[in-house]
Each structure stands twice: as C-alpha cells, then as structure tokens.
Amino acid sequence: MNVRTLCLAILQHGDATGYEIKKMSVEGEYSYFVDASFGSIYPALARLEADGLVTVREETQPGKPARKIYSITDAGREALIGELTGQTDPDIFRSPFLLVAMNAELLPREHLVKAIDARLADLQREMELLGSIASSRSGGTEWIARYGMNCMTASHDFLTAYRDQLECLAVDADAQPGERAAG
Amino acid sequence: MNVRTLCLAILQHGDATGYEIKKMSVEGEYSYFVDASFGSIYPALARLEADGLVTVREETQPGKPARKIYSITDAGREALIGELTGQTDPDIFRSPFLLVAMNAELLPREHLVKAIDARLADLQREMELLGSIASSRSGGTEWIARYGMNCMTASHDFLTAYRDQLECLAVDADAQPGERAAG
DNA sequence: TAGGCCATGTAACCGGTTACATGATTAG
DNA sequence: CTAATCATGTAACCGGTTACATGGCCTA
C-alpha cells in the first residue's frame, strides 16, 4: 500500500486537491492507511495524471494560488479495485506507548503516569473524530468508523481499569533510578 | 523509534544474537514496536557496540557459524531509559483491511468475504501468540500482552457481529462489476 | 506584526527493505 | 532430495520525510 493507492481511494470518494488529500490522510478519515506528506502526494498525483488514472482541472481564485482539483477516471477506479482485491498486506499496529509500558520496571512512576495520561487523551481525541465520521457518513466509511470506535473504546477501558497494575511496577520516585532494573 | 532502540529494549530483557532479535521483532513479543530486517539489525548492533551501549561475546559452535551474543551495558540501559522517557511518537494503526472495508461498495462480495475471513484468522493467530506471552511472562511484558488480547478480542467480536452489514454493501456476484460505484 | 492557514512544488537526505553471498544441519 | 532453520553480513535501491522556496489572506 502506497501513496498512489491512497490518492485513488480518496478521489474515489470525491474530487480533491493535493492539499486536501494531505489533510484527510493525516488528520481525517483516511488516516488509517498510509501516512503521506506533500513531498510524496504531489509527485504521486502528477504521476497518476500522466498515467491517465486521474484528471485535473485548475481553479483560479483571486489572491490565492490556483487550486488543482483532481478527479478519478474509470481507469483509475479499475486500478484501485485491482489494488484492493490483489494486495494482502497485514494490518500493523506499532506502539511506542507499549514499549514504555513493557519497560515500566525501568522508568520513574511519574513518567509512566504521564505516558498513560497522554495515551488516554490521544484515544479520546481519536474517538471524537471517529464519532463525527460515523454520524456524518454512510456505507463502508461509517462501518470502519464504528469498528475503530469499538477498538478505541476497548483500549481506553482496559487502560483505565488496569493502569494501577502497570504503575505499581515503576521505579519509586525516591528510589535510585534503575535500582530495580538489575533484578 | 528506530531499530537501535528496539535492539536495546530486547537486550534489556536478556542477551541475544542478531538472528534472535530479528525473530522476536517479526514474530515474537517485540513485534509491536518497529519492524526490522537483517539489513537493519546487523548494522545497528555494530554501531551500538562501537558506541559502547552493548558488548559482544562470540560463541563458536562446531559446524555452524559463530554466534555473536550481545549484552546491554549500563550506558546502553541509560540510553534506553532516555529514549523511553523522551520520545512521544503517537501509536499508529495502519490497516489495508479497513481500506478494503471502506470501499466495500466497489468490490465483489466474494472478495470482501475472503478479506474478512483472512483478517479474522490473523486476529486469532495473534491472540494465540499473546496468550502464550501473557502466561509465560510477568511485569510489563505480561501487562502489554493482556492489553493486546483485549484489543484483539474487541476487534474479533466486532467483525464477527457486524460482518453481515459490511458484506451486504458489496457488489453482487452476478451484477456488472462496478455497477454501484457510480451511485 | 507574528503566526497560522491556504496552496503548490522540488531536492537532498535517510532509514529502512530486498537481494545477494555463504554454508552447515536437520526435518519431511 | 528439498526445504526450512540456523547464522552473519553487505550493497543497491526506494519510498518516503524534511527542509526549502514562494506568497497572499486572516486572525490574535
């Protein structure tokens, strides 16, 4: 899965500019597939157009740079379907937070508490986003938002219920840092 | 978070060779942080040793290449703690499966069913791994395994309960492919 | 008037992967 | 006899990020 496919998927759900695609893939409802920056999106759109998978129309606006609005073509839609039915890359979950948790015995309790609070806040923000998506969309988009909500809720509940167990593994504030590491 | 930190974290929990580190970070209990291949692990270990964060001892075995067993040093442990208390990279979840689900309206039902079955099987395998980790480890490692189990179970239950809703969005086998895409 | 948002694009860089090189042992 | 497992390491490549270049409008 790459930025090309991401662009096609977004354009399948409606025309957009490179700038909008970036926003949607970083903060919006397309932020669960690949992360992309301007440096990868703009070249990808240019190549997509050269390959005939999307078309562009330029919209000049007074006092602002021209917006380049991209639309998917039939060939693009077929390429997207091909990508979606062909690839089998597994889902991945990568968690710096869990690495902190795994090494709780090595860290000052203070920091562990902060890390948990931060993670909880992240989850809450994410759940709000997903909630607004679920209530404003339909079909597949609504479904995946509900799926996400379900997972986030489970995470949040577990963290809230069992954070104490984790916190009591941490190094005491007044103990020598790393004291329990050797044991 | 990079391969260097991953190696330190693994070595903190016990000595290991590059080969073992790779296994643990691909299939084992360290597969939730960064994915690493030989091409990144071996150079990382070499640099870690040059920096004095790990030490090596070579173990020759008859008829096999010598094993290079790495151990973390005090400096390495401190570097790991620094990494763990400093960084704040958010957790990421990237799901090719959810992109398929999001575009259910575009795909033949047959393929969607396959994708769901495959995802369910992945989850089950993952849960078995986590179960064995949870029952054989303690402390932070056990805790994160239980956390993972909780999330996977929630995913699995949702998928099982609501897969029908998703499947009925897909294109009928006998309909023209892409027929509903235009609507 | 400083910073954020809109809006597009390029070039250098970099952390990783893939493929290659080597080779014995063991299980099917 | 074949494939997998053990075991280490290098070099080419590549998909992405970061930083840069440009510039007007709007808000605090």
Side-chain angles (χ1 to χ4, degrees):
Chain A
M1 259 268 303
N2 49 27
V3 174
R4 260 172 84 88
T5 310
L6 173 75
C7 289
L8 287 176
I10 292 178
L11 295 175
Q12 163 62 18
H13 290 257
D15 294 356
T17 67
Y19 188 85
E20 289 166 346
I21 288 175
K22 200 244 175 179
K23 262 201 119 177
M24 288 189 267
S25 64
V26 170
E27 321 162 358
E29 60 200 82
Y30 292 91
S31 55
Y32 305 96
F33 312 121
V34 289
D35 24 28
S37 58
F38 290 132
S40 55
I41 289 170
Y42 286 125
L45 286 170
R47 248 200 74 197
L48 245 18
E49 203 223 331
D51 294 351
L53 304 186
V54 304
T55 55
V56 213
R57 98 192 95 102
E58 210 150 326
E59 210 171 68
T60 47
Q61 12 172 41
K64 273 187 187 173
R67 282 158 55 87
K68 284 178 144 192
I69 301 160
Y70 290 87
S71 311
I72 196 166
T73 64
D74 286 340
R77 198 159 7 250
E78 257 163 73
L80 175 62
I81 293 172
E83 209 78 45
L84 256 27
T85 50
Q87 54 96 48
T88 44
D89 295 10
D91 286 16
I92 59 166
F93 172 59
R94 291 296 115 93
S95 176
F97 167 72
L98 287 185
L99 189 59
V100 169
M102 193 183 200
N103 290 281
E105 287 103 323
L106 212 58
L107 304 171
R109 178 170 302 146
E110 188 190 10
H111 177 72
L112 193 62
V113 168
K114 253 182 228 166
I116 294 170
D117 288 339
R119 180 76 191 122
L120 240 20
D122 277 355
L123 283 167
Q124 222 129 27
R125 236 179 300 116
E126 205 76 31
M127 280 160 76
E128 275 159 41
L129 170 67
L130 288 170
S132 73
I133 293 170
S135 59
S136 65
R137 305 300 152 105
S138 62
T141 304
E142 186 194 352
W143 192 93
I144 68 164
R146 296 202 184 284
Y147 177 99
M149 284 277 274
N150 176 70
C151 296
M152 305 272 164
T153 304
S155 276
H156 190 278
D157 290 352
F158 186 93
L159 247 185
T160 305
Y162 297 109
R163 60 179 297 170
D164 296 349
Q165 268 181 33
L166 192 63
E167 282 165 18
C168 75
L169 296 174
V171 177
D172 257 329
D174 29 277
Q176 227 27 247
E179 190 174 81
R180 299 166 61 143
Chain B
M1 260 268 302
N2 49 29
V3 174
R4 261 172 85 86
T5 310
L6 173 75
C7 289
L8 287 177
I10 292 178
L11 295 176
Q12 164 61 20
H13 290 257
D15 294 356
T17 67
Y19 187 86
E20 288 165 347
I21 288 175
K22 201 245 176 177
K23 262 201 120 178
M24 287 190 266
S25 65
V26 170
E27 321 161 356
E29 60 200 83
Y30 292 90
S31 56
Y32 305 97
F33 312 120
V34 290
D35 24 30
S37 57
F38 290 132
S40 55
I41 289 170
Y42 287 124
L45 287 171
R47 248 200 74 197
L48 244 21
E49 203 223 331
D51 294 351
L53 305 185
V54 303
T55 56
V56 214
R57 99 191 94 101
E58 209 149 326
E59 210 171 67
T60 48
Q61 10 173 41
K64 274 188 188 172
R67 284 158 54 87
K68 285 179 146 192
I69 301 161
Y70 290 88
S71 311
I72 196 166
T73 64
D74 286 340
R77 199 158 8 248
E78 257 164 71
L80 175 62
I81 292 173
E83 208 77 46
L84 255 27
T85 51
Q87 54 96 47
T88 46
D89 295 10
D91 285 17
I92 59 166
F93 171 61
R94 291 297 116 93
S95 176
F97 166 72
L98 286 185
L99 189 60
V100 168
M102 193 184 201
N103 290 282
E105 288 102 324
L106 211 58
L107 304 170
R109 178 170 301 146
E110 187 191 9
H111 177 72
L112 193 61
V113 169
K114 253 182 228 167
I116 294 170
D117 288 339
R119 180 77 191 121
L120 240 20
D122 277 354
L123 283 166
Q124 222 128 29
R125 236 178 300 118
E126 206 75 33
M127 281 160 73
E128 273 159 42
L129 171 66
L130 288 171
S132 73
I133 293 171
S135 58
S136 64
R137 304 299 151 107
S138 62
T141 303
E142 186 194 351
W143 191 92
I144 68 165
R146 295 203 185 284
Y147 177 100
M149 283 277 275
N150 176 70
C151 296
M152 305 272 164
T153 304
S155 276
H156 189 278
D157 290 352
F158 186 94
L159 247 184
T160 305
Y162 297 109
R163 60 179 297 171
D164 296 349
Q165 268 180 35
L166 192 64
E167 282 166 17
C168 76
L169 295 172
V171 176
D172 257 331
D174 29 275
Q176 227 28 248
E179 190 174 82
R180 299 165 63 142

